[in-house]
Amino acid sequence: MYASTGDEQFKQRVAYIVGELAKCQSNSPAAGFHEGYLSAFPESFIDRVEQSKPVWAPWYTLHKILAGLVDANHLCGNKQALAVAEKMVIG
């Protein structure tokens, strides 16, 4: 919406959401996850997928988080979003 309207409230909302995601990501090691991990489910769900065990769409969820972060960077100029995305894929 920010890219469509230029309304700063949308850009501020994106910055808030990205900031909160960054906080979650920074707490990943304390929660027992790898550094940079950011998702709505534990890493063990990825292990379940790789073992062909039932689990609900973890790749879809990870894709949506990454796509949102890339869009936040590209469409809103949010540099923190790119940093969070990089930590997700690099660790």
Side-chain angles (χ1 to χ4, degrees):
M1 285 301 300
Y2 171 71
S4 295
T5 66
D7 186 333
E8 285 294 318
Q9 288 181 335
F10 292 118
K11 188 174 181 180
Q12 291 169 3
R13 181 71 176 157
V14 166
Y16 170 76
I17 292 168
V18 169
E20 293 300 303
L21 288 171
K23 288 179 191 176
C24 292
Q25 187 181 54
S26 69
N27 288 322
S28 289
F33 304 127
H34 288 90
E35 187 173 342
Y37 186 73
L38 178 63
S39 189
F41 52 83
E43 286 178 295
S44 63
F45 281 26
I46 301 296
D47 297 334
R48 288 170 55 183
V49 169
E50 291 174 350
Q51 297 166 6
S52 298
K53 294 181 180 177
V55 65
W56 180 84
W59 298 125
Y60 174 86
T61 305
L62 289 172
H63 172 264
K64 293 302 165 191
I65 294 169
L66 277 170
L69 290 166
V70 169
D71 284 349
N73 175 256
H74 179 72
L75 300 172
C76 298
N78 189 302
K79 294 185 187 317
Q80 185 180 26
L82 185 59
V84 171
E86 288 173 342
K87 284 183 185 176
M88 281 182 73
V89 299
I90 297 170

